[in-house]
Amino acid sequence: MIVMSRRSASARKAMTRAGAAGCTAERLPWPAATFDLVVSTTSFDHWADQRAGLAECARVLAPGGCLYGFEDLVDEIIYSHECGTSKPDPGIYALTCERLRVEPAQMVFLDDSGPCVEGARQAGIHAVLYQDNSQAVSDIEDLLAAPAAVHGPWY
């Protein structure tokens, strides 16, 4: 999946007309210099031609725009199709803690799915239900500011 920030009214129109479902990273349907931000969310390894996909991402970026690979922003990626379990199964949360080498109380989980957030909470993980950016940031800041007795030591 590629996520792009819409930077102008023409970009919004381009997104509406083209839609993201019918394209590949190697052939993006938007005009050059349309977006100020392009983020690849764990899809780069699955692109048929990574060099062509990166060239397309660069083409649709406006001058001064940013391209981020989600894989570069996180410590661990767990693919449910590879490990055989998915949210809200308790096993996925246990595997995440194991791979990150943390206790559940040392984690904060953010998701927009109520059942997945509840699953994380049942696994002993601090969980935030995403509704919008400001609410999510505020809720996470509140968790991080809470005394260590509430959440255990943060690492």
Side-chain angles (χ1 to χ4, degrees):
M1 171 181 201
I2 299 175
V3 178
M4 298 181 200
S5 170
R6 302 178 214 185
R7 84 187 283 266
S8 65
S10 62
R12 286 190 293 278
K13 285 181 183 177
M15 291 285 287
T16 303
R17 283 193 316 268
C23 70
T24 65
E26 297 85 356
R27 291 189 51 152
L28 299 175
W30 299 287
T34 301
F35 301 101
D36 56 350
L37 174 67
V38 176
V39 179
S40 168
T41 58
T42 69
S43 66
F44 184 75
D45 291 340
H46 303 284
W47 295 359
D49 184 341
Q50 293 172 339
R51 186 172 295 213
L54 285 173
E56 274 295 275
C57 289
R59 182 186 65 77
V60 300
L61 275 175
C66 295
L67 170 63
Y68 291 103
F70 187 73
E71 298 89 348
D72 299 329
L73 303 176
V74 297
D75 294 322
E76 184 71 35
I77 296 176
I78 298 173
Y79 294 105
S80 57
H81 69 278
E82 291 178 355
C83 69
T85 187
S86 61
K87 304 174 293 183
D89 184 298
I92 196 81
Y93 305 109
L95 178 63
T96 303
C97 290
E98 178 184 318
R99 288 196 184 171
L100 290 173
R101 297 183 183 110
V102 298
E103 295 297 319
Q106 296 169 320
M107 275 182 63
V108 175
F109 175 82
L110 175 69
D111 203 301
D112 64 353
S113 166
C116 295
V117 168
E118 185 54 34
R121 287 180 180 149
Q122 289 177 6
I125 296 170
H126 300 281
V128 172
L129 179 64
Y130 176 89
Q131 297 165 352
D132 62 58
N133 285 344
S134 61
Q135 162 269 320
V137 169
S138 176
D139 288 357
I140 291 169
E141 286 176 342
D142 289 347
L143 275 173
L144 295 175
V150 173
H151 54 67
W154 294 107
Y155 292 93

